[in-house]
Amino acid sequence: MANFPSSFDKDDLLKCARGELFGPGNAQLPAPPMLMMDRITEISDDGGTHGKGHVLAEFDITPDLWFFECHFPGNPIMPGCLGLDGLWQLTGFNLGWRGWKGRGMAVGVGEVRLTGMVQPDRKMLTYKVDFTKALQTRRLTMGVANGTVEADGEEIYQVKDMRVVLSEG
């Protein structure tokens, strides 16, 4: 792990979106409104179920979020793909947090299960990313992780085998 803290507030995440946290050309979060978390409460390179690293993060839900107006009019819900993207964002963030170089790119996912919805009356999403593999070789920097998303404590998304690589260039 490079010399980064084990938690990050919204200002820190916005620095990462601007390329200021891990340096130019390295892991970077998207800017709002595509930034799918408000804070990272825990991050490690040796925690989680498999001892390979983990991330815990939170996203505050408010009725005025951009996606509620358009998905679906009259029956607003957060698109499930945005929850998956939040998990991918955190997986790539962890690789940059480790001090590994390159730009993050989601390259796959093994399985996605959606068992609930995020409607405007929800208050908070909790993301949990649990690494099963994190490797850095001369040719490849990659993280593989499982993840869950909870809405107000209720697990609503389960993801297996998310894959994110860091590539230079």
Side-chain angles (χ1 to χ4, degrees), residues 5-109:
S6 60
S7 63
F8 296 85
D9 64 16
K10 184 71 172 250
D11 287 337
D12 296 324
L13 300 179
L14 294 173
K15 286 178 188 172
C16 185
R18 293 189 300 265
E20 299 168 1
L21 191 60
F22 304 130
N26 292 312
Q28 192 172 344
L29 289 169
M34 285 304 298
L35 179 62
M36 297 307 301
M37 76 272 323
D38 290 306
R39 67 202 141 271
I40 294 174
T41 58
E42 286 182 33
I43 188 168
S44 77
D45 60 357
D46 61 358
T49 306
H50 307 282
K52 305 283 185 179
H54 82 291
V55 185
L56 298 178
E58 297 172 340
F59 183 48
D60 298 322
I61 302 299
T62 60
D64 63 344
L65 286 168
W66 66 273
F67 45 78
F68 286 135
E69 186 176 322
C70 56
H71 190 261
F72 295 97
N75 183 26
I77 61 171
M78 176 180 153
C81 61
L82 293 180
L84 174 59
D85 199 67
L87 291 167
W88 268 325
Q89 290 173 23
L90 291 164
T91 302
F93 184 93
N94 182 284
L95 299 177
W97 175 86
R98 292 170 190 249
W100 296 355
K101 303 298 181 193
R103 294 188 183 272
M105 180 178 17
V107 293
V109 63

Side-chain angles (χ1 to χ4, degrees), residues 95-129:
L95 299 177
W97 175 86
R98 292 170 190 249
W100 296 355
K101 303 298 181 193
R103 294 188 183 272
M105 180 178 17
V107 293
V109 63
E111 180 181 325
V112 177
R113 240 178 101 225
L114 307 176
T115 58
M117 291 185 286
V118 180
Q119 296 175 306
D121 62 341
R122 297 288 192 155
K123 302 296 180 214
M124 187 172 64
L125 296 187
T126 303
Y127 295 98
K128 298 178 181 179
V129 175

Side-chain angles (χ1 to χ4, degrees), residues 125-144:
L125 296 187
T126 303
Y127 295 98
K128 298 178 181 179
V129 175
D130 184 19
F131 280 78
T132 57
K133 184 184 292 184
L135 63 101
Q136 183 179 44
T137 67
R138 281 187 11 203
R139 307 192 106 188
L140 179 68
T141 300
M142 181 173 70
V144 180

